[in-house]
Amino acid sequence: MSRVGSVFGGARARLGWRKESAEAKEERFYRAGQWQLVWWRFRRHKLAQAAAVVLAIFYLIAAFAEFVSPHDPLYRYKQFAACPPTGIYIRDLNGRFRPPFVYQVVRTRDPETMRPIYKANAEVTAPIKLFVHGSRYRLWGLFDCDLHLFGTEDPETAPLFLLGTDSVGRDILSRIFFGGRISLTVGLIGVAISFVLGLILGGISGYFGGAIDEVIQRIIDVLISLPTIPLWMSLAAALPQNWPQLRIYFATTIILSILGWTGLARVVRGKLLSMREEDFVLAARLDGESEWRIITSYMLPGFASYIIVSLTGSLPGMILGETALSFLGIGLRPPTISWGVMLQDAQDIMAVAQLPWVLSPVVFVVIAVLMFNFLGDGLRDAADPYAM
Amino acid sequence: MLGNSALVEIKNLRTYFHLPEGTVRAVDGVDLTIRRGRTLGIVGESGCGKSVTALSLLRLVPSPGRIEGGEILFYRTVEEASASSALTDVIDLARLEPNGREMRSIRGNQISMVFQEPMSALIPVRTVGSQITEVITLHQKVSEAEAREIAADMLARVRLPKPRQALDDYPFQLSGGMRQRAVIAMALCCRPKLLIADEPTTALDVTTEAQILDLMRELQKEFGMAIMYITHNLGVIAEMAETVAVMYLGKVVELTDVKTLFMSPLHPYTRALLRSIPQLTDAVARGTKKPRLQTIEGMVPDPYSVLPGCTFHPRCPERLPDLCDRVEPGVSEVAPGHSVKCHLYSSP
Amino acid sequence: MARVTSNEAAQRGRWRRIVLRACAGLGLLALAVVWVGPQALTAHLAGVAPGWFAAALAVAIAANAVSAWRWSQLARALDLNAPYAPLASAYAQGIAVNAFLPGATAGGDALRALRLARLGNPPMASYIVKRIIRIIPQIFLISILAFIIIQLPPGDYLTEHLNRLRQSGQHLDEAEIRRWVQMYGLDRPMYEQYLKWVGNILFRLDFGYTFQWNKPVRDVIASRMGYTFAIALFSAVFTWVVALPIGIFVAVKQYSIADYFFTLLGFIGLAVPGFLLAMVVMYVSYTQFGVKVGGLFSPEYQIQPWSWAKFVDLLGHIWIPIVILGINGTAGLIRTMRATMLDELRKQYVLVARAKGLSELKVLLRYPVRIAINPFISTIGWLLPWFFSGGTVVEIVLNLPTAGPALWRALMGQDMYLAGSYILISGTLVAVGSLISDILLAMVDPRVRFGSLEGQ
Ligand SMILES: Nc1ncnc2c1ncn2[C@@H]1O[C@H](COP(=O)(O)OP(=O)(O)O)[C@@H](O)[C@H]1O
Ligand code: SF4
Ligand SMILES: [Mg+2]
């Protein structure tokens, strides 16, 4: 009798196991369906899609900055300091149409102010070429190369400065491309850190509740109410000035994420609290699932979409934060290149009046932030059609 | 006499919603007469245009909707004339500016309306009192304090316990039934000639519903006002109405007194509607083969389509082949005060 | 019988209170006279033309009466029990508190709110008390954070500073150094230093010393914080004044050209941070109009004492930072307002209000706007941190005589006392701001104050 029972029990256990794995599959299917829905809703958001494409281009440029930039961002063309954006022509003096080309640039000086004046020498033209050989670089520290996406053959006499040069003769466009590498990734890493912090602290807060929850919530209250940029400024200013660039960079990302985690922690906590009461979590607990598994495989997928939305939402703030800090000279410092560092040149209004093109990083910052806002909006609508 | 004379005459009213997907003919040629002091019931499935008819009367049809044609004649009593011979003048509400001064002076004053949802009819952030006195001071030349008196008096009449205190309460402090009483008081405090009640008890439980219905009948007697009672519930109609209009897809298909409606309904739709209500006899008849509850066959057609012929023909069990799906039936008066819009009864 | 006695007792108590108050008032007056010096006072008073004095007094009283009336109307519009007489007295008290206590108008506003609460709704008072209790740990945490920031740079800042001074060959007074060490407890353990620091602030309003300016932090920051706060406040007002009508309009005219226009503008307004905007504005006004934007005063008024002309000059300058700072908030608020209004316009009570015969404007103002205004009141809570945050860099770019540039200069020299004080002061102001906004919200929205009682 007992033998029979145990045999049946074993069979039932096996069956049960099979059944569970089948259920898991079904569940995965259901989840895929949910993501599918999110994707469909996102597809309807044309603006967000366009933003995603623009951002993808930005990040690609940042990744291949060495190749995409026509110049070495640190190289100073002494003969072309403070040179305005180069004109591109398709029609030469004889009125003939030709592929895009530039004229040779000659420097003279204003006899009164002694400021350099750049003139095109119409005698000598230089075609703009794709895949030209120029300054040597090591792409990602791995591949030796001197190929550039576009440029002119002889930058020392007939250069292509699409956005002009700064006061010491560095090409601004190339610097913007390289600066994107820092400015666009600072936010990403900051968000990654915020993500981990928010998940852990929000998880602790929501899962354990009680006094720990209370303390964490009060800390979040305070952090949320603090003015962000002064706090970032104070923290960044405390960084030792003699640290190497890379360490300053990472320290900056950590500073930026010090406030970023709070929003996510709130979301995670709220969701955990409401989900703790849900039937399927109770069912899993009755099934004897471990708490860890309940959290990771039942609860987390339930609000993955919220997490993504919350993270995209905090990216623009971090990009702006880095820009502001570096602009003020208390975040990253030269020779590191970032959009904020570049804008240090624009601190003096007299200098800007002479070289208005040094303001061009502003355009890139604004576009990046705007695109992240559009993307965030689209993702939010897609992930949760009922949220405001 | 005066008690029997018309208060509102709706003639061939058409209210359409022009949507990107097409035109919804929510009200499509409705003729109705509301008599002084009497109750007109309007019954029909949801979506048949009952609310839009009521909103048209008050000129409150929401934005893509417009009154396309027809008249809404309102026989106003002009009080200024000598008290012995109250004069009436006629005004076509359909011609008025929807938000003009004249229409607004009628709304909430001579014609007022009680809506379906007592929960959301009052804004939660203002006291019940301020929301009631607002309508009094708007239409009557009284001070704030007098308006408060009137409001408290009216709350007492709708039998709200502690009416004075309720004036200072916020809506969320009252229960659903209490709130609906307050809303009714709000509609009545200018002593309207016509009260439009659009499913005022649908959201309430049955006991509260019965109390509210009693209350409304009582107040009608007291104030002598006409009521236009809208519902999809035939039981409520039986209790409240004297005359009943049955609506289907924006049209009145049968109009008669309440007794005839239940005893000898004529229109196939009305009959189907009556068969669909559960009755005690059905419970007794359980066990016999007869289906206890009949549903009306078929679906309500999509609102954008314009059906040729009789709009009920796709669902009608008695449709006449080659006629009902081509020719729209006219209205025929089969008996005094009993008219039907169906080919079965049209005189040749 | 008993009733009469209690009445009499109440009467007597009232008289006693009045006499006590009169005595206290006279005492204070005497104190003030002694403080200023009787001679100086009589000399001053002798120069006053009695006619003008009486006229000024009458005007002041009338102005206050009108203000109190306007305020009572406002409170009544919010459905509060607000009879004129007690409100007028509360108003006068508020004005007095504002004049005598530091902290701008916060004190007077809180007092008036309390008086209102006592007049009407008991839940309100308990709500306020609860909310005030919650602010205490908040400020405590802020102070800890500020202290951490002060301690953050490696090494002891005083030693560092002394080293720098020594390197530059300056003479150092040993006694002076010892005085500093003792004053800030630099030779004591950390928690004692913290207590000392907090104690200095609480009891002596001493925020420490900035070596960058060679002055107490308080002297550097006090007037500057005032400007910063004024700019933040005016920006908030600008934001409301612009965003409220536009938000309503855009929601009422959903999907109109104006709607799309403002939506686009809102997106851009949200994306462009103030300091970049400030840079562009400066560039454009300099190159196009030859105007050098920046500062709060023209050079000729910079160091002059206050005068009408200086005030006008200030008005000519201050609107630029106000607008630049306000644009971000305006864009955000228009979006919130539009969303809430659209939600509310669908509610049934809007239809009910129309069915009452109210005009469309009144329907809008008394119903959907009445609820959509809530986010506006909440904004007091988050606009302040926002303005302090974005404002700091804008102030630096525009080179204003405000706290932001002072913070910057201090930070460039790792002068952390000023930084810590900035964080502490701005954090506290923000906490108080959100307290006020919560209280206002509770006043406007009964659900909040009843909710607080029912213990959700
Ligand atoms: N605001 C609106 N926009 C578009 N269509 C509407 C609107 N209000 C009502 N309708 C349409 O008018 C028809 C009648 O609606 P209604 O009068 O509310 O029905 P009911 O008889 O249930 O009260 C419905 O088909 C509905 O789709
Ligand atoms: S007209 Fe024809 S289809 Fe219409 S209800 Fe009568 S019988 Fe039926
Ligand atoms: Mg309806």
Side-chain angles (χ1 to χ4, degrees):
Chain A
M1 192 56 199
S2 73
R3 249 184 79 102
V4 176
S6 83
V7 166
F8 272 107
R12 212 177 308 147
R14 269 203 302 282
L15 275 175
W17 180 80
R18 278 243 190 86
K19 206 171 118 238
E20 187 187 292
S21 85
E23 262 169 12
K25 252 186 220 147
E26 208 171 89
E27 196 177 276
R28 220 175 308 141
F29 178 77
Y30 168 67
R31 293 258 157 71
Q34 187 192 341
W35 286 110
Q36 193 86 47
L37 271 178
V38 169
W39 173 242
W40 285 336
R41 285 197 291 258
F42 183 68
R43 286 295 302 265
R44 278 211 303 251
H45 225 283
K46 291 284 178 288
L47 204 55
Q49 271 175 26
V53 171
V54 172
L55 285 173
I57 293 173
F58 270 34
Y59 277 100
L60 274 179
I61 289 177
F64 295 97
E66 285 91 345
F67 168 67
V68 184
S69 319
H71 302 275
D72 179 340
L74 294 176
Y75 183 78
R76 301 173 178 203
Y77 291 91
K78 297 209 173 53
Q79 69 276 35
F80 297 130
C83 180
T86 317
I88 299 177
Y89 303 86
I90 51 169
R91 207 172 156 188
D92 64 15
L93 278 184
N94 307 325
R96 272 187 307 147
F97 285 99
R98 296 171 32 172
F101 66 92
V102 298
Y103 289 113
Q104 195 183 49
V105 174
V106 206
R107 178 166 75 169
T108 56
R109 273 187 193 282
D110 186 318
E112 277 170 36
T113 62
M114 294 309 284
R115 287 216 183 88
I117 297 173
Y118 294 94
K119 286 221 177 85
N121 174 13
E123 305 295 302
V124 189
T125 65
I128 299 171
K129 288 186 175 164
L130 289 177
F131 303 109
V132 290
H133 294 277
S135 57
R136 299 206 65 83
Y137 57 86
R138 267 180 96 87
L139 186 60
W140 305 333
L142 293 176
F143 311 106
D144 250 325
C145 190
D146 67 350
L147 218 53
H148 294 260
L149 179 62
F150 64 97
T152 53
E153 291 280 344
D154 184 12
E156 295 290 340
T157 59
L160 175 63
F161 299 125
L162 280 182
L163 294 177
T165 64
D166 63 11
S167 56
V168 292
R170 292 173 298 199
D171 177 39
I172 288 188
L173 183 71
S174 304
R175 288 174 68 74
I176 286 178
F177 288 169
F178 275 85
R181 199 169 260 188
I182 301 284
S183 294
L184 292 172
T185 55
V186 152
L188 282 189
I189 297 183
V191 158
I193 299 172
S194 304
F195 172 73
V196 175
L197 275 178
L199 218 54
I200 293 177
L201 289 169
I204 290 175
S205 193
Y207 198 81
F208 293 104
I212 300 180
D213 180 30
E214 194 60 32
V215 169
I216 292 180
Q217 288 313 305
R218 290 290 82 78
I219 289 176
I220 290 179
D221 267 353
V222 168
L223 287 182
I224 282 180
S225 73
L226 281 176
T228 325
I229 287 187
L231 189 67
W232 281 344
M233 280 167 74
S234 307
L235 294 173
L239 296 178
Q241 318 235 354
N242 50 4
W243 275 9
Q245 289 182 40
L246 197 66
R247 202 186 298 169
I248 294 260
Y249 170 75
F250 280 111
T252 309
T253 61
I254 290 175
I255 288 173
L256 291 178
S257 52
I258 272 185
L259 298 173
W261 61 272
T262 51
L264 184 63
R266 280 256 156 104
V267 171
V268 170
R269 170 181 178 268
K271 281 271 147 192
L272 276 182
L273 282 182
S274 67
M275 278 192 167
R276 255 199 326 203
E277 316 300 329
E278 299 251 359
D279 289 345
F280 67 94
V281 173
L282 192 68
R285 198 165 287 147
L286 288 178
D287 272 3
E289 298 266 17
S290 76
E291 291 292 330
W292 176 248
R293 231 186 88 76
I294 290 178
I295 296 180
T296 52
S297 61
Y298 290 86
M299 293 172 133
L300 269 187
F303 54 89
S305 53
Y306 285 89
I307 294 177
I308 293 172
V309 168
S310 154
L311 290 179
T312 333
S314 58
L315 261 167
M318 293 198 185
I319 292 178
L320 288 178
E322 185 277 327
T323 308
L325 289 186
S326 308
F327 166 73
L328 295 176
I330 37 186
L332 301 163
R333 293 183 185 86
T336 309
I337 308 168
S338 83
W339 294 343
V341 170
M342 291 180 73
L343 283 177
Q344 285 181 11
D345 292 345
Q347 269 181 12
D348 178 14
I349 187 67
M350 308 296 269
V352 177
Q354 297 302 320
L355 288 69
W357 50 89
V358 298
L359 280 178
S360 38
V362 171
V363 177
F364 286 80
V365 174
V366 169
I367 290 179
V369 169
L370 200 57
M371 293 304 130
F372 269 117
N373 280 346
F374 286 150
L375 183 66
D377 263 29
L379 284 178
R380 189 179 50 205
D381 290 350
D384 182 8
Y386 306 110
M388 200 195 83
Chain B
M1 294 266 298
L2 199 82
N4 225 353
S5 65
L7 177 66
V8 175
E9 260 182 303
I10 300 177
K11 290 184 181 165
N12 195 22
L13 178 69
R14 284 173 295 129
T15 305
Y16 297 171
F17 287 86
H18 299 284
L19 303 174
E21 298 91 330
T23 300
V24 179
R25 295 156 185 259
V27 176
D28 199 11
V30 161
D31 295 287
L32 285 174
T33 304
I34 302 168
R35 299 191 183 283
R36 287 177 195 278
R38 299 302 183 85
T39 304
L40 171 71
I42 297 185
V43 68
E45 286 167 297
S46 91
C48 71
K50 306 183 296 287
S51 298
V52 174
T53 307
L55 291 176
S56 304
L57 223 160
L58 280 175
R59 303 304 310 277
L60 287 175
V61 180
S63 173
R66 264 186 48 199
I67 293 184
E68 296 287 322
E71 299 177 338
I72 305 170
L73 301 179
F74 178 46
Y75 294 87
R76 264 194 307 196
T77 333
V78 183
E79 309 276 354
E80 290 99 84
S82 65
S84 54
S85 65
L87 290 175
T88 55
D89 74 340
V90 189
I91 177 170
D92 184 359
L93 300 184
R95 297 268 171 287
L96 290 184
E97 186 70 28
N99 275 322
R101 190 176 296 265
E102 185 148 31
M103 193 62 233
R104 280 192 278 117
S105 74
I106 293 173
R107 248 183 241 153
N109 188 17
Q110 307 191 28
I111 306 178
S112 58
M113 185 156 172
V114 176
F115 293 86
Q116 191 163 354
E117 285 278 324
M119 292 302 160
S120 55
L122 297 167
I123 193 168
V125 295
R126 295 178 51 195
T127 58
V128 174
S130 80
Q131 297 183 58
I132 298 180
T133 49
E134 175 180 71
V135 67
I136 302 174
T137 48
L138 184 69
H139 295 297
Q140 299 173 22
K141 287 200 182 71
V142 294
S143 70
E144 196 74 36
E146 287 163 327
R148 235 180 112 81
E149 279 311 307
I150 298 174
D153 180 51
M154 198 51 80
L155 283 180
R157 284 190 192 211
V158 298
R159 285 204 229 97
L160 209 70
K162 300 192 195 151
R164 236 157 244 290
Q165 189 192 323
L167 282 178
D168 293 323
D169 277 343
Y170 289 94
F172 51 82
Q173 292 171 291
L174 303 181
S175 70
M178 293 297 141
R179 238 179 281 185
Q180 193 62 308
R181 280 168 197 267
V183 170
I184 290 174
M186 189 161 82
L188 293 185
C189 55
C190 288
R191 309 267 175 147
K193 298 281 174 289
L194 171 62
L195 175 70
I196 302 173
D198 187 358
E199 316 216 11
T201 58
T202 308
L204 303 176
D205 62 83
V206 190
T207 330
T208 320
E209 177 173 46
Q211 289 170 356
I212 299 271
L213 292 181
D214 279 344
L215 177 71
M216 286 182 64
R217 272 199 308 255
E218 209 180 290
L219 292 170
Q220 181 180 26
K221 245 180 241 145
E222 198 174 329
F223 295 163
M225 66 195 170
I227 294 182
M228 176 168 160
Y229 199 97
I230 295 174
T231 181
H232 61 259
N233 185 337
L234 282 164
V236 173
I237 278 289
E239 226 177 298
M240 287 296 294
E242 291 157 337
T243 316
V244 182
V246 181
M247 279 185 78
Y248 184 75
L249 278 189
K251 295 183 160 80
V252 176
V253 293
E254 184 161 5
L255 180 71
T256 179
D257 64 283
V258 70
K259 204 167 156 197
T260 320
L261 183 87
F262 284 96
M263 301 313 286
S264 52
L266 292 182
H267 196 280
Y269 175 68
T270 315
R271 283 192 268 181
L273 210 57
L274 282 168
R275 274 199 301 277
S276 71
I277 44 174
Q279 278 169 352
L280 205 61
T281 49
D282 290 340
V284 179
R286 200 182 294 177
T288 66
K289 289 265 158 53
K290 232 170 89 187
R292 277 184 297 139
L293 248 182
Q294 288 187 5
T295 50
I296 304 178
E297 209 181 289
M299 298 267 288
V300 180
D302 95 89
Y304 308 115
S305 61
V306 183
L307 288 173
C310 169
T311 43
F312 190 53
H313 82 258
R315 301 167 76 188
C316 180
E318 293 164 61
R319 71 177 156 255
L320 306 170
D322 212 29
L323 180 64
C324 293
D325 55 353
R326 279 192 310 108
V327 184
E328 191 182 342
V331 178
S332 23
E333 183 143 12
V334 290
H338 189 175
S339 50
V340 189
K341 190 178 167 74
C342 172
H343 283 304
L344 293 178
Y345 307 98
S346 51
S347 41
Chain C
M1 208 23 215
R3 207 169 172 169
V4 173
T5 2
S6 83
N7 241 348
E8 273 170 3
Q11 278 293 332
R12 226 178 300 134
R14 206 167 143 222
W15 277 112
R16 199 178 301 147
R17 260 210 309 281
I18 288 176
V19 169
L20 266 176
R21 274 191 199 168
C23 288
L26 282 177
L28 275 176
L29 202 63
L31 204 69
V33 169
V34 170
W35 192 280
V36 177
Q39 279 91 10
L41 202 64
T42 41
H44 255 287
L45 286 180
V48 174
W52 280 114
F53 182 77
L57 198 66
V59 167
I61 290 173
N64 271 341
V66 169
S67 301
W69 174 81
R70 187 202 56 202
W71 181 51
S72 79
Q73 288 303 310
L74 215 68
R76 235 176 269 167
L78 298 174
D79 274 341
L80 295 170
N81 172 25
Y84 179 70
L87 278 207
S89 102
Y91 191 86
Q93 287 175 10
I95 294 282
V97 167
N98 282 346
F100 289 114
L101 283 189
T105 63
D109 288 343
L111 181 96
R112 279 188 253 163
L114 257 171
R115 288 285 304 258
L116 254 183
R118 247 193 267 159
L119 274 175
N121 314 282
M124 189 67 206
S126 88
Y127 178 85
I128 292 177
V129 170
K130 272 187 194 165
R131 190 58 190 75
I132 287 178
I133 288 172
R134 213 174 80 198
I135 201 175
I136 294 169
Q138 212 172 335
I139 292 179
F140 170 68
L141 279 175
I142 294 172
S143 76
I144 288 187
L145 199 83
F147 187 70
I148 291 175
I149 284 171
I150 292 175
Q151 301 294 331
L152 214 48
D156 165 356
Y157 65 94
L158 182 61
T159 326
E160 196 114 312
H161 177 70
L162 295 181
N163 280 341
R164 242 177 288 160
L165 285 185
R166 271 195 205 97
Q167 271 164 19
S168 60
Q170 281 191 24
H171 170 72
L172 286 173
D173 189 346
E174 281 301 317
E176 183 79 344
I177 295 171
R178 226 171 305 119
R179 203 174 64 80
W180 272 335
V181 168
Q182 220 162 45
M183 193 142 101
Y184 302 122
L186 294 180
D187 49 351
R188 321 290 313 176
M190 204 56 99
Y191 73 94
E192 266 185 51
Q193 285 189 36
Y194 170 77
L195 289 179
K196 197 127 197 160
W197 177 69
V198 168
N200 281 345
I201 290 174
L202 278 184
F203 301 115
R204 308 219 307 264
L205 267 183
D206 174 5
F207 287 89
Y209 198 83
T210 152
F211 301 108
Q212 203 80 21
W213 265 268
N214 242 339
K215 273 184 191 170
V217 168
R218 181 184 48 185
D219 294 357
V220 177
I221 237 174
S223 67
R224 287 166 170 267
M225 252 317 173
Y227 282 125
T228 294
F229 197 68
I231 289 175
L233 215 62
F234 283 122
S235 294
V237 171
F238 168 83
T239 303
W240 291 318
V241 169
V242 175
L244 186 72
I246 292 181
I248 295 172
F249 178 78
V250 161
V252 172
K253 305 259 175 230
Q254 195 190 5
Y255 302 134
S256 65
I257 293 175
D259 185 16
Y260 288 120
F261 174 75
F262 281 112
T263 306
L264 186 73
L265 215 64
F267 261 122
I268 295 172
L270 271 180
V272 181
F275 76 99
L276 294 185
L277 195 65
M279 282 165 75
V280 173
V281 166
M282 281 176 85
Y283 168 69
V284 170
S285 70
Y286 183 67
T287 54
Q288 300 302 309
F289 311 109
V291 181
K292 237 176 136 178
V293 173
L296 282 184
F297 302 102
S298 310
E300 62 266 31
Y301 290 110
Q302 210 102 40
I303 46 170
Q304 278 196 11
W306 278 103
S307 64
W308 178 248
K310 182 173 180 173
F311 181 69
V312 171
D313 184 57
L314 172 69
L315 288 186
H317 285 82
I318 204 169
W319 66 272
I320 294 171
I322 286 174
V323 170
I324 287 175
L325 270 177
I327 283 198
N328 265 264
T330 309
L333 214 53
I334 289 179
R335 268 177 69 169
T336 323
M337 186 74 190
R338 179 179 179 274
T340 336
M341 277 295 288
L342 284 177
D343 260 6
E344 292 304 314
L345 280 171
R346 277 195 289 270
K347 297 272 170 71
Q348 184 164 287
Y349 49 71
V350 177
L351 192 59
V352 172
R354 291 207 179 101
K356 284 178 182 175
L358 292 171
S359 68
E360 196 55 28
L361 190 68
K362 275 187 187 155
V363 168
L364 278 181
L365 291 183
R366 291 191 191 169
Y367 290 87
V369 171
R370 190 65 177 61
I371 289 199
I373 202 104
N374 288 357
F376 270 70
I377 290 162
S378 312
T379 51
I380 303 172
W382 57 257
L383 274 181
L384 275 182
W386 199 352
F387 288 142
F388 273 117
S389 184
T392 310
V393 194
V394 172
E395 286 165 10
I396 294 168
V397 170
L398 291 177
N399 192 23
L400 305 182
T402 48
L407 172 72
W408 187 39
R409 219 178 113 185
L411 287 177
M412 295 303 263
Q414 293 210 333
D415 185 351
M416 298 314 270
Y417 260 131
L418 202 151
S421 308
Y422 185 95
I423 297 289
L424 179 67
I425 295 175
S426 57
T428 307
L429 282 178
V430 165
V432 172
S434 76
L435 169 80
I436 292 175
S437 94
D438 278 359
I439 290 176
L440 283 178
L441 194 62
M443 277 167 59
V444 174
D445 193 337
R447 291 171 298 181
V448 175
R449 53 177 189 268
F450 283 93
S452 77
L453 258 198
E454 282 149 23
Q456 285 178 337

